[in-house]
Amino acid sequence: MNATIDDLITRRSIKKYRPDAVPEELLNKITEAGTYAACGMGRQSPIIIAVTDRAVRDELSAINARIMGREGTDPFY
């Protein structure tokens, strides 16, 4: 079976994330792969931003929660 199809069939939901950071080399590979994702008629160039600083991530989470009207929650859980 095609490896991609096999991955889609056997994937599992994540219930809890580990606190350790994703290695930079792996993060670079993932973001590069994302730039090859399909887009509307090839006219929407993807912009991918990887937030690796926990304080910045927490600030973005708080701002996003306020916009959603759900202060005190973590939309990035």
Side-chain angles (χ1 to χ4, degrees):
M1 179 180 286
N2 181 310
T4 302
I5 299 298
D6 189 43
D7 288 344
L8 291 170
I9 292 171
T10 60
R11 73 136 185 96
R12 298 289 177 258
S13 296
I14 301 299
K15 304 291 184 201
K16 185 175 179 184
Y17 294 96
R18 294 189 313 217
D20 42 322
V22 175
E24 187 172 348
E25 183 178 307
L26 179 57
L27 188 58
N28 290 339
K29 285 181 182 181
I30 292 168
T31 55
E32 181 183 5
T35 64
Y36 290 96
C39 58
M41 296 172 50
R43 296 183 182 174
Q44 301 168 349
S45 299
I47 298 172
I48 299 172
I49 300 170
V51 178
T52 57
D53 182 296
R54 181 69 185 204
V56 172
R57 179 249 179 246
D58 290 346
E59 184 177 345
L60 290 172
S61 177
I63 292 168
N64 199 15
R66 267 197 312 275
I67 290 169
M68 293 170 52
R70 302 189 72 200
E71 284 191 64
T73 63
D74 183 1
F76 301 149
Y77 63 90

